[in-house]
Amino acid sequence: MVEQWGIRVPSKSGEEVRKSLMGEGILDLSLKVIRDGSTLVLPVTEQREGAERCSFELRAGRPVLPRHELVGGIAIMQENDPAGAEQILATIASLHTVLCPASDVMGEYRTRKFEVLAGIPTTRTEILEYGHRFVIDLASAYFSSRLSSERQRILGKVGDRELILDMFAGVGPFAITLAKRAALVIACDINPRAVILMQENLGKNRVKNVLPVLADAHHLPGTLLLKFDRIIMNLPLSGTAFLADAFRLCKSGGIIHFYSLVAQEGQHRDDLDDMGGEVIDERVVRSYSPGQWHVVYDVKVATR
Ligand code: SAM
């Protein structure tokens, strides 16, 4: 038996959650799923909200592969290990490419460079997330599967026919997920390649109520004549610089979902309070690095 993190789900949603965790690259394929009455416990390689420590049985005959993360048809290794890359490619049938980062995530577009270790030389792939297909290009526009359950959490909060703004939309995963309940989503990004991929993703998912906008989000308050029921601000490193814009764009009583990297709980509460926001929830989305957490504040904008 092996100790690992496990996520407990009702058996009837086990397959959907399994696929999603697989897409995020955190399902631990070397371990067997635990069946416990009407629930399943799925083994995962990182601690998630609600995850519990469990003892799992090892899967017989499963080769132990070098550490990697799966993003659609691409495996990303942390080490530059061409032999390990070939082994991963030969073992996982759905893969077409194995990459290794050749830079940190950098710049305004939050992208990184990659070296191709095995397979087809591309950084483009397609992922499936809760029934949506997203074309992504890891080298030209930001994308992270790690926020897939967070997108579902926000979807659960959206009321009928809301007007939503995604200020830093990337290739559109939040916008396309929330479009299901919204009247209209305006999805802005400053990276032209992200906006082109977003347009492709709108077509692929037959979504007609998302309007992609290529712009610097600082220009939105002076350009858009609308006020929004809900605003998504997923720019964790520098989102604070855009909070005043978000407050200008939000309706009284509307909600801002503000993502940030913090070193301690409550770090932004005073600033949000000073701006006229009431923090109705603050939660850790994931740990980012030792001593730093990616958190989200759900903020209700005061009636003005
Ligand atoms: N929301 C997307 C997601 O979850 O995949 C993307 C989030 S990514 C962390 C931040 C995005 O903000 C990047 O796509 C980047 O190009 C965009 N960005 C950075 N500065 C911006 C600005 N001033 N105005 C609009 N978009 C910006």
Side-chain angles (χ1 to χ4, degrees):
M1 300 293 271
V2 176
E3 279 272 303
Q4 180 57 289
W5 292 106
I7 293 182
R8 189 177 291 273
V9 292
S11 302
K12 61 179 171 13
S13 46
E15 187 51 21
E16 188 180 4
V17 179
R18 191 190 70 81
K19 277 188 188 148
S20 159
L21 295 171
M22 185 99 152
E24 290 182 58
I26 65 162
L27 188 68
D28 191 333
L29 296 168
S30 65
L31 302 177
K32 284 188 183 171
V33 171
I34 299 171
R35 286 173 197 284
D36 183 10
S38 61
T39 62
L40 299 175
V41 186
L42 305 172
V44 288
T45 52
E46 64 177 50
Q47 184 182 8
R48 278 293 172 91
E49 199 183 330
E52 50 190 290
R53 233 24 209 168
C54 301
S55 287
F56 291 93
E57 252 180 82
L58 272 168
R59 274 179 193 274
R62 188 103 202 171
V64 179
L65 295 173
R67 204 174 147 74
H68 62 277
E69 179 183 346
L70 296 178
V71 186
I74 293 178
I76 304 173
M77 300 181 76
Q78 286 316 309
E79 276 85 48
N80 190 334
D81 170 9
E86 290 297 349
Q87 193 193 355
I88 292 171
L89 192 65
T91 309
I92 306 176
S94 57
L95 291 184
H96 54 75
T97 303
V98 184
L99 304 175
C100 163
S103 77
D104 287 332
V105 176
M106 54 187 186
E108 200 170 36
Y109 298 169
R110 310 308 301 144
T111 50
R112 70 196 316 180
K113 294 185 179 146
F114 290 92
E115 187 172 324
V116 179
L117 298 181
I120 299 166
T122 182
T123 50
R124 191 181 150 103
T125 190
E126 192 173 303
I127 65 134
L128 183 63
E129 183 180 294
Y130 287 95
H132 289 119
R133 291 191 174 279
F134 300 128
V135 178
I136 61 174
D137 185 339
L138 295 165
S140 57
Y142 175 93
F143 179 81
S144 171
S145 289
R146 292 190 177 164
L147 292 188
S148 61
S149 21
E150 174 59 12
R151 292 190 255 279
Q152 294 301 310
R153 183 185 78 88
I154 305 287
L155 176 62
K157 304 216 168 280
V158 174
D160 272 350
R161 312 293 298 157
E162 280 190 9
L163 200 51
I164 298 180
L165 171 64
D166 186 352
M167 289 173 81
F168 313 103
V171 305
F174 270 103
I176 290 170
T177 302
L178 305 185
K180 190 167 160 186
R181 298 235 172 95
L184 173 69
V185 184
I186 295 201
C188 167
D189 204 283
I190 201 167
N191 176 357
R193 296 173 85 172
V195 175
I196 289 168
L197 285 163
M198 194 193 325
Q199 281 174 318
E200 195 174 339
N201 288 329
L202 292 174
K204 203 169 257 301
N205 293 284
R206 297 196 174 85
V207 170
K208 300 206 167 73
N209 57 338
V210 173
L211 179 64
V213 175
L214 175 62
D216 181 336
H218 276 315
H219 297 157
L220 295 177
T223 315
L224 299 175
L225 301 173
L226 303 165
K227 297 250 185 201
F228 295 86
D229 297 296
R230 192 174 297 278
I231 298 184
I232 313 294
M233 296 184 72
N234 182 24
L235 186 63
L237 275 179
S238 47
T240 34
F242 296 83
L243 271 172
D245 301 306
F247 273 83
R248 280 178 68 190
L249 288 159
C250 196
K251 286 181 186 170
S252 293
I255 301 287
I256 298 174
H257 301 284
F258 169 59
Y259 294 83
S260 184
L261 291 182
V262 300
Q264 62 190 42
E265 201 182 332
Q267 195 166 309
H268 292 296
R269 278 185 179 250
D270 288 348
D271 295 341
L272 291 164
D273 196 50
D274 290 348
M275 295 178 112
E278 179 199 347
V279 176
I280 50 178
D281 198 2
E282 174 184 357
R283 50 174 63 224
V284 174
V285 181
R286 65 184 178 113
S287 80
Y288 182 77
S289 60
Q292 264 199 318
W293 289 269
H294 187 179
V295 298
V296 55
Y297 293 84
D298 294 348
V299 184
K300 185 169 184 176
V301 173
T303 309
R304 289 167 286 198

